[in-house]
Amino acid sequence: MHQAQRPGASAEGIAPALPTAQPGAGTAAPSPCLCSANNEPARSSLLCCIERTWRLSSSSRGEAKTGVKMNEDLKVNLSWLPQDHLEASSPENVSTAVSSLIPVVDPEPELIVNPWDIVLCTSGTLISCENAIVVLIIFQNPNLRAPMFLLIGSLALADLLAGIGLIINFIFAYLLQSEATKLVTIGLIVASFSASVCSLLAITVDRYLSLYYALTYNSERTVTFTYIMLILLWGASICIGLLPIMGWNCLKDESTCSVIRPLTKNNAAILSVSFLLMFALMLQLYIQICKIVMRHAHQIALQHHFLATSHYVTTRKGVSTLAIILGTFAACWMPFTLYSLIADYTYPSIYTYATLLPATYNSIINPVIYAFRNQEIQKAFWLICCGCIPSSLSQRARSPSDV
């Protein structure tokens, strides 16, 4: 006599169905414990996480053949399992489930400093200290108010600001990164170096006028002309530095960037061409200065035949000084100028650093060439440092070599 098959019983080879209510229980079986994503009630969040972790661990072990059966078994209400069965669950799965509840904090990326930036910052520090001394000497000494000293002070101030700009650029690049700070620092550096180059041109013009118009050079007209040159060169430099801040930059379109972001390729090209034009003008003026110095030395030699040799030595010294001035200026700025014309943002940054670094060295050399070689500035320096003037700094007239 065959008994009727109990509902819920499974035949051999068929996946087991969900268990029915226990005998004697008056209520229906609870619903399976599933996560809230299935819109079904869950007993606890921890059990749901264990269930989800069990599924993931089973699939990662490659149990593809029994995956369907495992998913169906997992749908069994975990509340029906004995408490000791829950405690005897795999420790590996439980620890994984608990660890999944702990928020994972990504480690902060390490700050990597570019060695080239360190070199530029060091160069900026040396530039600032050296030119600050020149600015302090000219500012504190009321006797240094001649046009020549005003232009030397302008050059020192421009180089001082350039050094400060290099330091600020290093600080902002690694501590306060934003588009606004980048635009401000680049604008300051561009304006400062532009004022430095323009001041060198103004000094060359002043030296030419002091030789070509030697009789009328010390008049009020020369002082007025000097102030006009200072106003024009600083006004033009400030306007050039404001261009990136006013919107002429490549922050919105990187395809237009030059070798120095955020300057555009057109902006860098204009600056480079302007530099080449100013260098050509300086070269022409220094050639004229050499001719005037040689002519003066020859006239003096004709008047004093016994001093001809010494005056030729003086002329050669003056020409050598001009060659050093122009050679240093060209060696420092020409590589970066030419590189800015032919390169863009796609070129390796190491080429930009390698050509920009010599340009900063020009601001280190300028005080040595234009300021510390001057006897009046040397005397003022010794007065500030020790309150005395060395006996070696004897009074002498300006010679043709002081160009």
Side-chain angles (χ1 to χ4, degrees):
M1 185 176 182
H2 298 282
Q3 295 179 354
Q5 189 174 9
R6 187 174 69 252
S10 59
E12 187 177 359
I14 303 176
L18 293 175
T20 57
Q22 295 292 335
T27 60
S31 303
C33 177
L34 298 176
C35 293
S36 58
N38 296 332
N39 297 323
E40 295 181 13
R43 180 175 179 180
S44 65
S45 60
L46 180 58
L47 295 180
C48 290
C49 292
I50 294 175
E51 176 185 348
R52 186 184 305 165
T53 306
W54 193 354
R55 293 176 180 174
L56 294 176
S57 62
S58 299
S59 61
S60 64
R61 294 190 184 100
E63 300 179 356
K65 295 182 180 180
T66 60
V68 177
K69 184 176 180 180
M70 182 71 68
N71 291 337
E72 292 178 357
D73 291 338
L74 284 173
K75 293 182 180 179
V76 179
N77 191 345
L78 295 178
S79 63
W80 292 0
L81 298 177
Q83 187 66 24
D84 57 347
H85 186 276
L86 288 176
E87 295 175 355
S89 300
S90 175
E92 180 180 329
N93 295 338
V94 175
S95 61
T96 306
V98 174
S99 63
S100 65
L101 300 176
I102 303 176
V104 179
V105 180
D106 295 334
E108 295 183 0
E110 296 182 359
L111 185 63
I112 302 176
V113 180
N114 191 337
W116 287 99
D117 290 332
I118 297 178
V119 176
L120 284 176
C121 183
T122 305
S123 180
T125 304
L126 183 59
I127 291 171
S128 301
C129 296
E130 193 176 13
N131 287 277
I133 296 175
V134 179
V135 173
L136 181 64
I137 291 175
I138 295 178
F139 178 77
Q140 287 192 346
N141 195 333
N143 295 326
L144 302 179
R145 294 295 182 269
M148 175 181 60
F149 297 113
L150 293 178
L151 295 175
I152 293 176
S154 173
L155 175 63
L157 178 61
D159 290 334
L160 172 62
L161 294 177
I164 294 175
L166 292 175
I167 298 173
I168 294 177
N169 181 68
F170 177 82
I171 295 174
F172 284 170
Y174 293 98
L175 300 180
L176 187 60
Q177 298 180 359
S178 66
E179 292 184 355
T181 56
K182 183 179 296 185
L183 291 175
V184 171
T185 53
I186 290 298
L188 175 60
I189 293 174
V190 171
S192 301
F193 280 121
S194 299
S196 176
V197 175
C198 291
S199 296
L200 291 176
L201 177 60
I203 291 175
T204 306
V205 174
D206 177 74
R207 288 180 170 179
Y208 173 76
L209 295 177
S210 65
L211 294 175
Y212 193 80
Y213 300 101
L215 298 178
T216 60
Y217 174 75
N218 293 322
S219 62
E220 292 293 332
R221 183 177 180 181
T222 304
V223 177
T224 304
F225 179 73
T226 303
Y227 281 111
I228 292 175
M229 283 197 302
L230 290 174
I231 294 174
L232 290 177
L233 73 88
W234 278 100
S237 301
I238 292 174
C239 291
I240 293 174
L242 288 176
L243 289 179
I245 302 175
M246 299 300 293
W248 198 8
N249 56 67
C250 63
L251 293 179
K252 296 181 180 180
D253 186 7
E254 291 191 356
S255 62
T256 62
C257 286
S258 64
V259 293
I260 296 183
R261 192 173 182 274
L263 292 181
T264 62
K265 189 71 169 64
N266 294 333
N267 193 349
I270 292 175
L271 292 175
S272 300
V273 172
S274 300
F275 168 81
L276 294 176
L277 292 177
M278 285 189 291
F279 177 76
L281 181 58
M282 289 176 61
L283 180 61
Q284 180 64 27
L285 288 174
Y286 272 121
I287 290 175
Q288 297 299 323
I289 290 174
C290 284
K291 292 180 179 180
I292 295 174
V293 170
M294 293 177 65
R295 186 170 62 249
H296 287 180
H298 181 68
Q299 292 175 354
I300 295 174
L302 290 178
Q303 296 176 2
H304 308 279
H305 297 283
F306 59 93
L307 294 178
T309 303
S310 63
H311 281 290
Y312 278 119
V313 171
T314 301
T315 303
R316 187 172 64 251
K317 182 180 178 181
V319 174
S320 300
T321 303
L322 294 178
I324 293 175
I325 292 174
L326 279 178
T328 303
F329 182 66
C332 291
W333 278 105
M334 199 62 70
F336 180 72
T337 301
L338 299 178
Y339 179 71
S340 299
L341 284 175
I342 63 177
D344 55 17
Y345 74 102
T346 61
Y347 281 62
S349 60
I350 187 174
Y351 297 150
T352 303
Y353 284 112
T355 55
L356 179 61
L357 190 61
T360 62
Y361 292 160
N362 186 68
S363 297
I364 300 176
I365 301 173
N366 283 338
V368 178
I369 295 178
Y370 296 96
F372 296 138
R373 289 176 61 251
N374 187 279
Q375 281 196 346
E376 297 298 327
I377 294 180
Q378 290 178 10
K379 294 176 184 178
F381 176 75
W382 284 105
L383 285 175
I384 293 176
C385 291
C386 61
C388 61
I389 300 176
S391 58
S392 59
L393 296 177
S394 58
Q395 298 286 342
R396 68 178 180 88
R398 188 177 181 183
S399 66
S401 63
D402 298 331
V403 292

